[in-house]
Amino acid sequence: MSQSDSFIDEVTEEVRRDKLFATMKRYGWIAILAVIAIVGGATWYEFNRAQQEAQAEAYGDALLAALEQGAPAERATALDSVDAQGPEARAVADLLRAAELAVAADTQAAVDLLTRVSQTPDLPPIYRAMAQYRALALQSDLSAQERRDGYEELAGPGGPLRLLALEQIAVTYAEEGNRLEALDRLNSLLDEAGATPDLLRRVSQLIVSLGGIPGEAAQ
């Protein structure tokens, strides 16, 4: 019985082997294509990543080279000529350029550039908010109410610069001589989630400078 069972097992194993080879001959090309697709996809991903890294490095080098120019006006001109791939890269160059224009005392050109960035719809909110915030800070000819209206737009829930905008809103009240409203606004900032240590320190100093006590209701 043992010899018979052994013979049957050998025959069964041979049949299985023949079926496996037949299946591989028929469908083996699918496995080969799958391997080629995986290897090809990985190769393309690595190539694309390397290309993106090279572009980012070249862009960063171009920005640094522009910022190494002598005068602010020269730096602004060099930044304008930087080849930026995509709206976000262009926005970074424009924000830097606006800063150089402001240093060069070409405030109106800086404000115009920042306004254009803030109104670019396909940019992430942080870029547009930064541009609007900086533009408001540069426009010293605006009244406190006009600047407050602008900061109110940035102080909405979820805004990337909400806390900074709330701080500036309090400052506009102080400029108008409305000390109590300024103190109330500043004290409310102390309880805001996400307030950084620098912001809390600055707000506390403002409260003290206005004659208040941090954390206490204005008198």
Side-chain angles (χ1 to χ4, degrees):
M1 288 295 293
S2 61
Q3 291 181 350
S4 176
D5 290 343
S6 177
F7 175 75
I8 292 173
D9 290 342
E10 290 179 6
V11 172
T12 302
E13 185 65 27
E14 191 66 30
V15 171
R16 289 175 178 172
R17 189 180 297 111
D18 290 342
K19 286 183 177 180
L20 176 61
F21 288 153
T23 301
M24 290 183 64
K25 287 181 180 179
R26 175 177 289 185
Y27 301 110
W29 62 274
I30 297 178
I32 294 174
L33 282 181
V35 171
I36 293 174
I38 293 171
V39 173
T43 302
W44 170 252
Y45 171 77
E46 291 298 330
F47 171 77
N48 191 46
R49 187 178 67 173
Q51 201 170 36
Q52 290 178 345
E53 289 178 355
Q55 289 178 350
E57 185 176 348
Y59 175 67
D61 290 342
L63 289 179
L64 291 175
L67 292 172
E68 289 175 355
Q69 301 299 312
E74 294 174 345
R75 294 195 290 270
T77 301
L79 286 166
D80 188 35
S81 64
V82 169
D83 183 19
Q85 301 293 326
E88 293 182 29
R90 183 69 262 165
V92 171
D94 285 341
L95 289 170
L96 292 172
R97 182 181 167 219
E100 296 299 338
L101 288 170
V103 174
D106 196 350
T107 306
Q108 188 57 53
V111 170
D112 291 342
L113 181 56
L114 291 167
T115 301
R116 188 181 72 192
V117 174
S118 70
Q119 295 176 351
T120 303
D122 54 345
L123 281 176
I126 182 61
Y127 292 96
R128 291 185 277 117
M130 287 174 62
Q132 184 177 351
Y133 184 90
R134 181 57 179 158
L136 288 168
L138 288 175
Q139 298 180 80
S140 58
D141 57 326
L142 295 179
S143 67
Q145 179 64 59
E146 289 172 325
R147 280 185 287 114
R148 183 159 60 243
D149 291 341
Y151 288 123
E152 289 284 3
E153 295 178 11
L154 297 172
L161 300 183
R162 178 174 179 272
L163 298 183
L164 293 177
L166 290 174
E167 177 189 15
Q168 291 304 313
I169 289 171
V171 171
T172 61
Y173 281 114
E175 290 177 1
E176 291 176 334
N178 193 340
R179 172 179 165 277
L180 293 181
E181 183 65 27
L183 286 172
D184 284 342
R185 297 283 183 142
L186 291 170
N187 273 306
S188 67
L189 262 172
L190 296 176
D191 298 324
E192 285 282 346
T196 64
D198 285 341
L199 176 62
L200 294 175
R201 187 181 309 110
R202 195 164 59 245
V203 168
S204 296
Q205 290 172 346
L206 284 170
I207 291 173
V208 172
S209 70
L210 290 172
I213 299 174
E216 293 189 7
Q219 299 297 322

